Amino acid sequence: MTRIQTPFTDTTTALEVVQDVDLTGRRAIVTGGASGIGLETARALAHAGAQVTLAVRNVAAGRRAAEDIARTSGRDDVAVTHLDLADLTTIDAFTAAWEGPLAILVNNAGVMDTPHGTTAQGWETQFGTNHLGHFALATGLHAALTAAGDARVVSLSSMSHAVSPVVFDDLFFERRAYDPGLAYGQSKTATSLFAVEASRRWAGDGITANALMPGGVWTPLQRHWDAEQRAAAEQEVSQGEAAGAFHMKTPEQGAATSVLLAASPLVAGIGGRYFEDCNEAEVVDELHGIHGVLPHALDPDDARRLWDVSVELVDAARAA
């Protein structure tokens, strides 16, 4: 396949991506839309005319974000709905309450490098939240996405996918020592594989799904780092920027690739791919700094297997 390339770059902002895009009459959901990249993604979609729902764990923070978006976009119809991706009961309540077509689903929310813990259903926190929570949400909204006719699903992955494939025989670190970085990496490989299989399964419904790496952005995602981790990361960033390998993005720049995949006509009909800096990433055996995507994050066989395992886990949790 020919790699998709656009006029946009790593310095493009989300608002620049939608400058000539009209989303009037389209409905969008952004998980984790109360802060960081999610907020700027929601702002750009609203600015382009979409009716946006912020699906958030902290409703008060979501309402503040909605007010902020209203001030800058001129739209006063940004909705705020409670959603805790670490609790299947809130996900099912959210999808059951949704009415009408859904054109855009941005699976943006996530946790990173958390201490060992589990979700309400007993799943390891990062895999359970980042992958299984969004999996249950997207599959629960499948009918609404189909009703839109040409819906798009956007799945936020990370360069950390390179740290770990999906370890099918020990998804929840029950037989190996828990490592926050490995758990995060596995979850982000899973979010990419989800996009691969969702595009394959749902192509006949007019639904496309793509994964992306937003780039380096300082957001609340790093809240679980201790002072030593933060200092080490800042030093690495400083060295990388000095060498010209990459630059830290603003949240507005970090949201640009999400918005490209959610709204731009430049990627209409494209699915099952992995993007970075508003362009399709190169498939590589080893990341070039933070750039590229490893084959295991796009493997179609693993994508099918992960989908089946995810269905089994979610169905079993509901039955219990």
Side-chain angles (χ1 to χ4, degrees):
M1 295 185 296
T2 302
R3 282 175 59 205
I4 303 298
Q5 296 182 293
T6 79
F8 304 122
T9 70
D10 58 346
T11 61
T12 300
T13 67
L15 286 175
E16 289 171 340
V17 170
V18 294
Q19 185 173 4
D20 298 315
V21 174
D22 183 3
L23 297 177
T24 302
R26 311 285 276 173
R27 299 173 73 198
I29 293 171
V30 180
T31 67
S35 65
I37 296 171
L39 171 58
E40 298 308 325
T41 299
R43 188 192 313 280
L45 296 177
H47 185 85
Q51 191 281 307
V52 178
T53 294
L54 307 180
V56 295
R57 185 172 52 184
N58 185 330
V59 173
R63 287 174 180 154
R64 290 192 294 271
E67 292 170 359
D68 180 40
I69 293 170
R71 284 193 299 270
T72 57
S73 70
R75 294 190 66 91
D76 60 0
D77 61 351
V78 180
V80 179
T81 305
H82 179 250
L83 176 70
D84 184 350
L85 290 163
D87 187 348
L88 185 60
T89 59
T90 78
I91 299 169
D92 288 347
F94 182 97
T95 59
W98 185 266
E99 296 181 352
L102 173 63
I104 299 167
L105 173 61
V106 183
N107 291 331
N108 167 85
V111 293
M112 181 175 74
D113 293 347
T114 60
H116 185 259
T118 59
T119 68
Q121 279 65 49
W123 302 323
E124 185 276 316
T125 299
Q126 297 188 75
F127 190 84
T129 303
N130 298 343
H131 168 61
L132 289 172
H134 278 126
F135 178 84
L137 177 68
T139 53
L141 291 169
H142 175 247
L145 292 163
T146 300
D150 57 351
R152 301 187 189 189
V153 180
V154 180
S155 185
L156 269 75
S157 184
S158 165
M159 62 171 284
S160 292
H161 77 270
V163 174
S164 176
V166 172
V167 181
F168 286 99
D169 62 357
D170 192 17
L171 292 174
F172 304 142
F173 289 82
E174 294 167 326
R175 292 186 291 278
R176 52 183 166 143
Y178 178 73
D179 181 289
L182 286 178
Y184 181 66
Q186 174 181 244
S187 77
K188 288 303 174 176
T189 293
T191 62
S192 180
L193 292 175
F194 163 77
V196 172
E197 184 64 3
S199 276
R200 187 188 74 83
R201 287 179 179 250
W202 295 348
D205 302 318
I207 301 167
T208 57
N210 290 286
L212 71 112
M213 154 65 170
V217 187
W218 296 123
T219 72
L221 187 64
Q222 295 96 14
R223 62 184 175 274
H224 293 290
W225 287 357
D226 59 27
E228 185 177 341
Q229 285 176 295
R230 178 72 182 216
E234 289 177 347
Q235 182 178 8
E236 186 176 353
V237 165
S238 178
Q239 292 171 344
E241 290 183 323
F246 66 91
H247 75 94
M248 291 298 287
K249 297 183 180 183
T250 65
E252 293 85 354
Q253 293 169 333
T257 307
S258 294
V259 172
L260 175 91
L261 295 175
S264 175
L266 296 174
V267 292
I270 298 299
R273 306 197 191 190
Y274 180 104
F275 285 73
E276 62 184 10
D277 298 339
C278 294
N279 290 276
E280 186 178 357
E282 181 183 1
V283 179
V284 296
D285 293 327
E286 183 178 349
L287 294 192
H288 306 308
I290 65 173
H291 299 295
V293 57
L294 269 61
H296 70 239
L298 295 171
D299 184 271
D301 293 330
D302 278 359
R304 292 186 186 95
R305 183 180 180 186
L306 177 63
W307 190 284
D308 291 341
V309 168
S310 301
V311 168
E312 291 175 4
L313 287 166
V314 171
D315 285 353
R318 288 188 177 123

